Amino acid sequence: MPLLLVIVIFSIVSVFPTFPRSGICQEPAESRPRVSKKGSRLPSCGLQGNIESRLHDCSRHRESRKPHWALITRTADGIEIWQDFNSKLLWSDPLNGLFQYRKAKKACRLDSPQTAPLSSLKWRLPTIDDYLAAQKESAMSSQLSMMTKIFWSASWHYGFSRFPWIFNGELGQLGSGAIDDALSIRCIAEPH
């Protein structure tokens, strides 16, 4: 019987991906400011007003529209907030650094440069359903700085209290992460 228990535990543990377990550690910030395909700096837009006026301000730039997505804000530092037309949710850029799960849950509620352009909104960590809904219609991974990042979700993996769902931005796949893993996060908000 003990051998069977060891095999079962090994099988469960081997399903979960392994990530750095160094607590909060810093990854290099994404290169800022963002540039166009021709190498020119992308202009700021959507810095004032409500969501509709910001959308209108950014719509004059060709790169501000992608299938099912629209740019709402781009700061001089290149920080962007996009809106998913299907869910109406606003998606921040990834926050700088890597976070253990407990700190990731709180980080979206704190002031950060990525949510500051619309700080009056109630920002939160996306659920796994938010990621799946955004990806389903729009190839979100290639559109919103998702590549090469693995993101926390606010959802717990069914039956495993220490393993929240994670979203692999590069592959568009789900997985589980241990709460001590250090992963990327991005925040979402509902417009007023």
Side-chain angles (χ1 to χ4, degrees):
M1 190 74 146
L3 180 58
L4 180 60
L5 181 60
V6 169
I7 292 172
V8 169
I9 290 173
F10 176 75
S11 298
I12 290 172
V13 171
S14 65
V15 180
F16 299 110
T18 319
F19 302 104
R21 297 190 189 290
S22 58
I24 297 276
C25 62
Q26 294 296 312
E27 70 177 4
E30 292 186 5
S31 60
R32 306 263 190 232
R34 294 192 178 159
V35 295
S36 69
K37 291 180 182 177
K38 295 180 181 178
S40 61
R41 184 177 176 160
L42 295 175
S44 299
C45 65
L47 299 177
Q48 297 178 2
N50 63 21
I51 300 298
E52 291 78 23
S53 62
R54 290 170 186 250
L55 174 64
H56 179 72
D57 184 42
C58 289
S59 67
R60 67 179 195 259
H61 304 292
R62 199 172 123 219
E63 73 284 344
S64 70
R65 292 276 183 175
K66 299 179 180 185
H68 304 280
W69 294 88
L71 182 63
I72 300 298
T73 297
R74 182 186 302 117
T75 68
D77 294 331
I79 293 170
E80 295 180 345
I81 295 176
W82 289 79
Q83 184 173 32
D84 175 359
F85 285 145
N86 294 323
S87 69
K88 305 297 183 215
L89 290 174
L90 302 174
W91 290 75
S92 75
D93 269 349
L95 274 60
N96 293 332
L98 300 175
F99 299 81
Q100 291 178 328
Y101 189 71
R102 287 181 186 94
K103 294 191 181 194
K105 293 275 289 185
K106 296 175 186 174
C108 287
R109 294 188 302 250
L110 303 175
D111 292 334
S112 76
Q114 290 77 10
T115 60
L118 290 168
S119 60
S120 64
L121 298 178
K122 185 177 177 183
W123 292 92
R124 65 176 173 87
L125 197 61
T127 66
I128 204 63
D129 291 333
D130 294 325
Y131 282 113
L132 293 175
Q135 183 191 23
K136 180 180 178 183
E137 299 293 332
S138 61
M140 172 182 67
S141 296
S142 63
Q143 314 240 353
L144 295 177
S145 305
M146 298 290 281
M147 301 306 285
T148 70
K149 294 191 184 293
I150 298 177
F151 295 92
W152 284 119
S153 83
S155 307
W156 288 96
H157 191 284
Y158 312 110
F160 298 102
S161 63
R162 290 189 46 84
F163 296 98
W165 281 107
I166 58 173
F167 181 79
N168 182 324
E170 182 175 13
L171 303 174
Q173 296 177 338
L174 305 179
S176 298
I179 59 174
D180 294 329
D181 293 342
L183 303 176
S184 297
I185 62 172
R186 66 182 324 128
C187 304
I188 61 171
E190 295 181 22
H192 292 269

